[in-house]
Every structure is written in C-alpha cells, then in structure tokens.
Amino acid sequence: MFGMKLSELSVQPSVAAQVTVAAPARLHLGFIDPDGSLGRRFGSLGLTIDGPGTRVALRQAAHDSVDAEPGTEQDVDRVREHVRTLKRLSGRDAPLAVHLREVLPPHAGFGSGTQLALALGRGFASLHGIDVTTTDLARALGRGKRSGVGVAAFDRGGFLLDAGPGRDGPAPLLARADFPESWRVLLVLDPRGAGLHGEDEGRAIAQLQPMEQATAAHLAHLVLMQILPALHETDFARFAHGISELQRVIGAHFAPAQHASAYTSRAVAQVVEWLGTNFDAAVGQSSWGPTGFAIFASQADADRAVDRARAAGQVAAQLALRIVKGRNHGALLTR
C-alpha cells in the first residue's frame, strides 16, 4: 500500500472546511526482542495516557501558513515537511493554514513525532475527503519504523502490544486491552533532558551487545503469561511486578547507551527507584526517557506516594510530577 498515492484511495462524499485533531501521548514500556533472537526484531509494549497531547487545526486558506502557539514553535518546520509530503502523495495542492495548538514535549518518551505526523495526516485526509488507514498514513510519513504502539495509540488507545515492524510498514497490533479506570500513572518529567533520537538512537542500538535469546524469551513470557493476564483480571500486584521486571531487564540492556544507567535522567531515576522500593507500583522509564513513570492501583495511592516522595526530599527542583489516567480511545477529530 505504501506505493499507492493517497489520491488513488477512495474519496468520501463530504469534505470539511476545517478540522481539529487531538492526539494522545503514549508511554513506551519496552521492547520484547530488540535483536530478533526469536525470529522477529523489537516488538513493543505501550500504554496510551490521558495527559499531555497534540492538537492541530487545519483549514482551507488563500495561502499556505503555519501558526504556532507558544511552546510549539520548534515543530513548524516538521509540519511544513509533512504537509508537502501529503500534498505530493495525494495530488491535492490547495493552500492550507495549519494552527499548532499543543504539541508533546519532543524526545521525552511520549511519541511526539508520530502523534504530530498522524494528527496532520488524519486532518489532511479529512479536510480533502480521503479515505486512508492510520497505518498507511504512518507508512507515508515515515513513522512506526521500530515500534507500532504510537500508531495504535493514535488509532485505538489503551494498553498495546505490537509484533515489531514487518517488511512493508509499521508493526501489526497483536493485543489491545482497556486500562483499568481506577489505576493511575505518575509521570516524572525532567524538562532539562532529552532522550536519544534520530541518528543517535540508531547508532546507540547498533552498538549494544545483542540480547540473548533466553532473555528475550523471559520478556515474552512475562508479557504473555503475567502482564496481559493480570491486566485482563485487574490484578494490580501481578501487573506491577511484571512491568517492573520487564523494565529492569530492558533498562540493563540499554544502560550502556545511557551512561551505564537504566534512566536518562539521574533526578528521574532517584524518584522512580525510591517509589519502586517504598510502594506497590510498576516503575520504569518510557522509551529513551527522560520521562519516568510509576503506575499505582488508585488515585489515593498515587497522591500518597507523591506527598511522601516530596517529604523525603526525593524530588529535585527541576522535576515536574503529574498524575494521569490511562486513555482507552485514540485521537479525536472535530469539524
């Protein structure tokens, strides 16, 4: 499907004059088999969250323009590049005005690049009445090359497991489950840091020692026989143990690319590790960080953990702590 132009896809009869797309953030909870020792590379576990997000508005206009709200200016060039690609592939070259209302922090572990690209792609397709799948939009815009959880988060939300990328596009979704309504996710944010990305990320992965097959098998077993069943049965203790163990193993594997640490930010590591030691929580780092997380069984547990962490002097001044819910639906489009 990648070779097919968007203009060759079916066109819906109604065409909007203006659309707004609100896309969620996702946490990347770890790869299952980064080196394909079991036959297929990567494979990802992820969680869609109802917290920070991406919002873009597109409308027909007299000339092309991109307006950016304060804090979103860094994405203007990327928006222009995506719009050029969409116009070229679709054959629709009428002028567009794009308004960046909100964007996710870049290179922080939220999947900002994928959510922005897909929000623009979905808005462009709706504006022109083009019927196209999210997977095809991701392929056209070069997203989902290692992990498919960002694409699935945009499409469906929830707790996600993908199979790793195939030969012709983003990873297929293997499993999706609703995240329990009462559980909470504490985000530990370090605005001063940034995770590896782009060419640096590729080089870092290439220089790591291969993950042993037994280790990949252990992670696959954790996901299939502990984490997913615990999620379906709302068994928080087993879920938390499984996620924390997955993160421990993945963190050790990627530590050589992160200054011999499972965390990009030392300040984030201090809080998250303290929470994991003192509370029943699933803890770790999203993707290359610097964002860390701690998942709790309730809002009360999360509030108590934050209060105690602050009282114990574990939260550095530059950090921000934010409690959010899981999100069991994907992006929203309004006309």
Side-chain angles (χ1 to χ4, degrees):
M1 199 75 172
F2 178 71
M4 181 180 290
K5 290 186 177 180
L6 302 186
S7 58
E8 295 174 315
L9 299 171
S10 60
V11 178
Q12 300 168 354
S14 61
V15 177
Q18 177 170 326
V19 296
T20 299
V21 182
R26 63 94 180 108
L27 300 181
H28 192 283
L29 303 179
F31 289 124
I32 311 304
D33 190 357
D35 298 287
S37 65
L38 299 175
R40 191 176 181 112
R41 293 193 72 190
F42 299 115
S44 300
L45 206 61
L47 171 63
T48 316
I49 57 172
D50 199 9
T54 293
R55 286 191 303 135
V56 298
L58 298 87
R59 62 178 175 83
Q60 299 170 352
H63 57 86
D64 286 325
S65 65
V66 180
D67 294 322
E69 293 292 326
T72 71
E73 301 91 343
Q74 73 275 2
D75 288 298
V76 168
D77 288 342
R78 183 179 294 184
V79 168
R80 292 185 176 127
E81 179 182 350
H82 287 324
V83 170
R84 284 194 296 268
T85 298
L86 291 163
K87 286 186 174 185
R88 174 174 55 82
L89 292 176
S90 68
R92 271 60 161 200
D93 59 0
L96 288 180
V98 180
H99 184 187
L100 278 177
R101 295 180 176 174
E102 180 184 3
V103 295
L104 290 162
H107 317 307
F110 291 126
S112 60
T114 293
Q115 298 309 309
L116 177 60
L118 294 179
L120 288 167
R122 180 55 62 208
F124 184 95
S126 178
L127 200 64
H128 293 89
I130 301 171
D131 183 11
V132 60
T133 68
T134 301
T135 297
D136 284 325
L137 286 172
R139 183 183 292 110
L141 296 171
R143 308 308 305 179
K145 293 181 179 179
R146 290 194 181 93
S147 169
V149 295
V151 179
F154 182 91
D155 226 10
R156 302 182 59 186
F159 192 88
L160 307 158
L161 170 65
D162 74 50
R167 288 173 292 185
D168 63 345
L173 185 64
L174 291 181
R176 182 210 169 273
D178 279 351
F179 193 72
E181 176 66 25
S182 61
W183 295 4
R184 293 293 184 270
V185 183
L186 171 62
L187 303 176
V188 184
L189 308 163
D190 187 348
R192 298 183 183 181
L196 287 172
H197 56 278
E199 293 181 359
D200 290 338
E201 178 185 16
R203 281 193 293 267
I205 291 176
Q207 292 171 5
L208 291 171
Q209 291 295 315
M211 178 179 283
E212 294 183 0
Q213 186 180 77
T215 302
H218 172 53
L219 296 180
H221 193 221
L222 270 177
V223 171
L224 182 63
M225 298 307 294
Q226 181 169 344
I227 294 171
L228 289 178
L231 189 67
H232 280 280
E233 295 176 348
T234 322
D235 183 342
F236 181 78
R238 287 185 60 78
F239 173 85
H241 178 271
I243 292 292
S244 296
E245 171 64 6
L246 180 86
Q247 281 280 312
R248 183 191 67 78
V249 175
I250 287 292
H253 178 72
F254 285 98
Q258 299 181 144
H259 308 291
S261 172
Y263 296 86
T264 297
S265 164
R266 291 183 180 179
V268 168
Q270 178 176 333
V271 179
V272 173
E273 290 176 346
W274 186 87
L275 291 169
T277 299
N278 290 276
F279 293 89
D280 293 328
V283 297
Q285 172 180 279
S286 177
S287 187
W288 292 101
T291 300
F293 65 86
I295 304 174
F296 294 91
S298 68
Q299 179 73 41
D301 287 350
D303 288 337
R304 187 179 308 111
V306 169
D307 289 344
R308 285 189 54 190
R310 292 192 184 281
Q314 298 296 317
V315 184
Q318 78 266 25
L319 297 182
L321 305 185
R322 181 173 179 179
I323 300 171
V324 301
K325 295 181 178 181
R327 172 166 163 153
N328 291 319
H329 62 85
L332 298 177
L333 184 147
T334 56
R335 300 189 180 196

